[in-house]
Amino acid sequence: MRRLLLVSLFLTLPYFTQAQEVVNFYNWSDYMPQAILDQFTQETGIQVVYTTYESNEEMYDTLKGLQSRYDIAVPSTYFVSRLIRDKMIQPLDKKKLPGLRNLYRALLGKSADPANKYSVPYLWGTTGIAVDAKKINPAKVKRWSDLWAKEYRGKILMIDDMREVMHVGLRALGYSSNSLEPRELRAAAQMLGKLTPHVKVWDSETPKDHFLSGEVAIGMLWNGEAYLANKQNPNIQYIYPEEGAVMWMDNMVIPVGAQNPDGAHKLMEFLLRPEVAKALSEGVGYATPNKAAMKLLDPDVRNNPIAYPPEVALENAEFTYDVGDALQYYEREWAKLRGE
Ligand code: N2P
């Protein structure tokens, strides 16, 4: 009897002691349907530990402080440049990523990472103005500068994101949102300073929820958030401001010191699959950089102008780039604006 017990213990021990393989995935909030991660775990046995952040700056600070905890992060393009410069991300093993061929060539080789040595496009999108049509006539809202109108005071939401908020001020004044001029940045921040007392909510974690709850009636919003909000409540509408929406792309990278870079590559390759990229885009309402996935998209999403901006909507849109040393001026103005 005793021997039998020992034998069975011996047989079951490896099962208990074998640690499950884990990928630590650090991503924006509201940016990944759980079902996709579940499917990956089901197929590979690799568990995904998913943690979220609310801004590029937060992600950067976390990686800087605790580099080895995450296997994948998803910075915007202008932060990919910074992470490369600061040697905080590692080169990818392209042999493990044959799915790269599914991506649009036009979205590869961006200046931040010319040969995509370090980064794989994940989703791209815009930031525009959301309006609750029950409270504000959307036809009256055409420009970023409309946010300053008296009647919207106390009903405004701003995304808590330095470069995007500066974009609003800079474009409202006719400047580039990648300005390197301290004078222009100061003017933009001064103008924004007249708006901030009337902002009801600053949020970049779940901004759409404040529209859905009726707490705010107008404000900046990421297009995917607007897409999801609009599906729940068609009164929440999305407007591409005449002075130009923000355009951005987010990209998967592997931080230096990642504990499971092999698992990270497996998850990236999984996300490059056309069916998976389709499910991701449809689930969160942002545009896929995956050409092969475009063919599979539900026409309701593909033809939805919030999720997939029509070309005219992007006429004055400006892509956010790394501003190098000028970042200090942005940070200075931002600190004044947000009272830090
Ligand atoms: C949505 C995240 C949007 C990413 N929660 C903006 N770059």
Side-chain angles (χ1 to χ4, degrees):
M1 192 60 200
R2 171 169 289 176
R3 177 176 292 173
L4 230 170
L5 193 77
L6 262 174
V7 169
S8 65
L9 202 78
F10 176 75
L11 286 174
T12 51
L13 209 58
Y15 177 78
F16 287 114
T17 52
Q18 193 177 27
Q20 192 182 7
E21 185 178 347
V22 168
V23 170
N24 281 299
F25 193 177
Y26 196 33
N27 199 356
W28 298 79
S29 35
D30 262 346
Y31 221 31
M32 170 61 81
Q34 182 60 40
I36 292 183
L37 299 180
D38 292 346
Q39 189 192 335
F40 176 73
T41 302
Q42 228 167 43
E43 281 187 23
T44 61
I46 301 172
Q47 189 199 342
V48 182
V49 177
Y50 191 76
T51 315
T52 60
Y53 52 86
E54 295 164 34
S55 69
N56 282 299
E57 289 78 8
E58 182 188 347
M59 179 254 344
Y60 179 92
D61 289 348
T62 308
L63 292 189
K64 188 127 209 166
L66 202 73
Q67 265 179 0
S68 62
R69 228 183 102 195
Y70 294 106
D71 299 303
I72 301 189
V74 191
S76 300
T77 312
Y78 62 99
F79 256 83
V80 171
S81 327
R82 198 168 162 199
L83 290 166
I84 295 174
R85 203 167 53 232
D86 295 347
K87 301 195 170 39
M88 287 165 66
I89 51 179
Q90 53 179 293
L92 303 171
D93 183 351
K94 299 268 187 75
K95 286 193 300 291
K96 294 180 179 162
L97 301 171
L100 278 171
R101 72 168 113 83
N102 295 332
L103 299 183
Y104 279 107
R105 291 179 69 105
L107 294 176
L108 292 168
K110 294 301 246 185
S111 61
D113 180 14
N116 285 89
K117 206 170 144 191
Y118 296 90
S119 63
V120 175
Y122 178 77
L123 287 169
W124 67 271
T126 62
T127 314
I129 300 177
V131 164
D132 183 344
K134 230 177 151 179
K135 298 178 179 145
I136 291 174
N137 177 4
K140 280 181 63 188
V141 181
K142 296 195 156 50
R143 306 171 58 85
W144 286 120
S145 57
D146 291 331
L147 290 176
W148 276 257
K150 259 208 183 98
E151 63 238 67
Y152 306 147
R153 291 184 173 174
K155 302 176 182 160
I156 304 167
L157 178 136
M158 295 294 278
I159 299 270
D160 205 358
D161 184 306
M162 179 175 79
R163 291 295 306 276
E164 301 212 352
V165 171
M166 288 301 284
H167 172 112
V168 173
L170 286 163
R171 298 298 301 195
L173 289 170
Y175 300 134
S176 160
S177 55
N178 294 294
S179 171
L180 306 176
E181 291 297 328
R183 187 182 51 79
E184 294 177 0
L185 297 168
R186 207 173 317 121
Q190 251 159 27
M191 181 169 175
L192 288 162
K194 298 201 178 98
L195 183 65
T196 49
H198 309 299
V199 173
K200 176 102 186 265
V201 177
W202 290 88
D203 187 16
S204 52
E205 187 182 9
T206 55
K208 71 170 181 312
D209 293 357
H210 308 280
F211 282 92
L212 289 169
S213 70
E215 206 182 344
V216 299
I218 187 167
M220 301 170 74
L221 201 59
W222 286 314
N223 66 319
E225 294 272 314
Y227 170 85
L228 295 178
N230 176 266
K231 261 200 349 194
Q232 276 185 56
N233 174 358
N235 282 316
I236 313 296
Q237 299 186 13
Y238 188 67
I239 295 159
Y240 292 93
E242 278 172 13
E243 308 101 316
V246 189
M247 248 182 113
W248 45 261
M249 184 162 76
D250 295 328
N251 313 269
M252 297 182 276
V253 300
I254 304 184
V256 164
Q259 277 164 17
N260 188 2
D262 184 59
H265 281 89
K266 283 189 185 131
L267 181 51
M268 284 184 180
E269 177 60 14
F270 176 77
L271 293 170
L272 283 167
R273 269 192 215 164
E275 306 73 29
V276 178
K278 160 193 152 76
L280 175 62
S281 172
E282 290 175 358
V284 296
Y286 294 101
T288 181
N290 194 309
K291 190 175 176 186
M294 287 296 275
K295 298 191 194 102
L296 309 175
L297 276 184
D298 178 342
D300 281 350
V301 182
R302 176 71 189 88
N303 299 321
N304 183 301
I306 307 180
Y308 283 86
E311 224 174 298
V312 300
L314 298 180
E315 214 146 89
N316 292 320
E318 195 171 358
F319 198 82
T320 313
Y321 290 103
D322 178 38
V323 288
D325 292 341
L327 187 66
Q328 55 181 308
Y329 308 128
Y330 282 82
E331 284 172 345
R332 194 174 60 199
E333 299 303 338
W334 182 243
K336 281 193 255 167
L337 258 184
R338 296 289 288 124
E340 279 151 30

